[in-house]
């Protein structure tokens, strides 16, 4: 029995898309969880932020928006998985979906990481005064799959793939004209 890698990719992307939608629908519930001050912190790409200032909700909102950008990236990657075939892997729609997926990936990573880091360091004095236990005041970029650097590299890689496909389309069109 031969496994089709393309069929496997399509099945995985469909599952990821489904579960990402489920999580995205539930993401706004975070506002209700943090509203009663029962939950005082959350971790965002290795940055633990504490609910000690009203701007916490701005950072939380940006994180939820970033999650929807992640959903948009998954949507475009799913489109690529269903558009691609063994005979058709270079066309303008695939190029556009790769570009949009990369763009949403980079924007989502930056939108969730930068505000969290700014908030963490701008409220560090408040957190220390309230004697909230801080594990570490340093910025953790990490090296695992949830690292912001890995996610940024992945997004940029998708954009580069779209540029390579664009050049391939242009070369193919020029080649078609010389025949």
């Amino acid at each position: 029995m031969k496994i089709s890698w393309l069929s496997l990719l399509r099945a995985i992307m469909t599952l990821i898309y489904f579960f990402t939608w489920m999580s995205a629908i539930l993401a706004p519930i975070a506002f209700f969880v943090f509203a009663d001050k029962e939950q005082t912190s959350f971790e965002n790409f290795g940055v633990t932020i504490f609910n000690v200032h009203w701007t916490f909700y701005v950072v939380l909102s940006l994180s939820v928006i970033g999650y929807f950008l992640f959903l948009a990236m998954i949507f475009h990657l799913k489109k690529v998985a269903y558009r691609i075939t063994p005979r058709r892997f270079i066309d303008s729609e695939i190029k556009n979906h790769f570009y949009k997926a990369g763009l949403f990936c980079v924007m989502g990573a930056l939108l969730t990481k930068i505000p969290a880091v700014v908030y963490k360091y701008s409220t560090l004095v408040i957190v220390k005064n309230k004697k909230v236990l801080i594990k570490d005041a340093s910025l953790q970029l990490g090296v695992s799959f949830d690292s912001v650097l890995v996610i940024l590299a992945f997004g940029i890689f998708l954009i580069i793939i779209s540029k390579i496909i664009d050049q391939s389309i242009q070369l193919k069109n020029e080649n078609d004209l010389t025949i």
Side-chain angles (χ1 to χ4, degrees):
M1 182 168 115
K2 185 179 174 187
I3 296 175
S4 167
W5 288 106
L6 200 51
S7 297
L8 183 62
L9 174 67
R10 289 174 179 161
I12 290 171
M13 290 307 299
T14 300
L15 278 173
I16 291 171
Y17 187 65
F18 172 76
F19 287 120
T20 305
W21 253 117
M22 297 303 289
S23 296
I25 290 169
L26 297 175
I29 293 175
F31 292 100
F32 299 110
V33 171
F34 289 106
D36 63 1
K37 299 277 187 176
E38 191 79 21
Q39 184 74 20
T40 60
S41 69
F42 80 98
E43 188 161 324
N44 184 359
F45 278 122
V47 178
T48 303
I49 59 174
F50 295 92
N51 188 358
V52 294
H53 192 263
W54 67 268
T55 54
F56 172 84
Y57 296 103
V58 174
V59 175
L60 185 61
S61 299
L62 293 174
S63 293
V64 170
I65 292 169
Y67 202 85
F68 280 96
L69 291 173
F70 176 71
L71 175 65
M73 177 197 70
I74 297 296
F75 170 77
H76 286 289
L77 290 177
K78 181 177 171 259
K79 286 288 196 181
V80 167
Y82 279 92
R83 177 96 179 140
I84 245 174
T85 64
R87 297 192 188 273
R88 182 186 61 210
F89 53 89
I90 295 178
D91 73 9
S92 59
E93 270 192 57
I94 292 171
K95 172 196 73 127
N96 290 336
H97 286 302
F98 268 126
Y99 182 77
K100 289 175 184 175
L103 201 59
F104 285 129
C105 183
V106 169
M107 287 183 341
L110 292 176
L111 191 65
T112 55
K113 183 67 170 192
I114 292 174
V117 170
V118 169
Y119 176 84
K120 178 177 182 171
Y121 290 106
S122 64
T123 61
L124 203 55
V125 173
I126 299 170
V127 170
K128 285 182 179 179
N129 288 342
K130 290 190 174 192
K131 298 193 180 359
V132 176
L133 182 63
I134 302 176
K135 292 185 222 171
D136 190 11
S138 65
L139 175 63
Q140 299 173 359
L141 294 175
V143 291
S144 64
F145 287 113
D146 64 344
S147 164
V148 72
L149 293 178
V150 171
I151 293 170
L152 285 173
F154 178 69
I156 293 169
F157 188 71
L158 291 174
I159 292 170
I160 290 171
I161 288 174
S162 78
K163 300 296 182 186
I164 291 170
I165 292 173
D166 188 39
Q167 285 184 349
S168 300
I169 291 170
Q170 289 176 7
L171 286 173
K172 183 181 178 294
N173 289 340
E174 287 176 12
N175 207 14
D176 288 345
L177 290 175
T178 59
I179 294 177

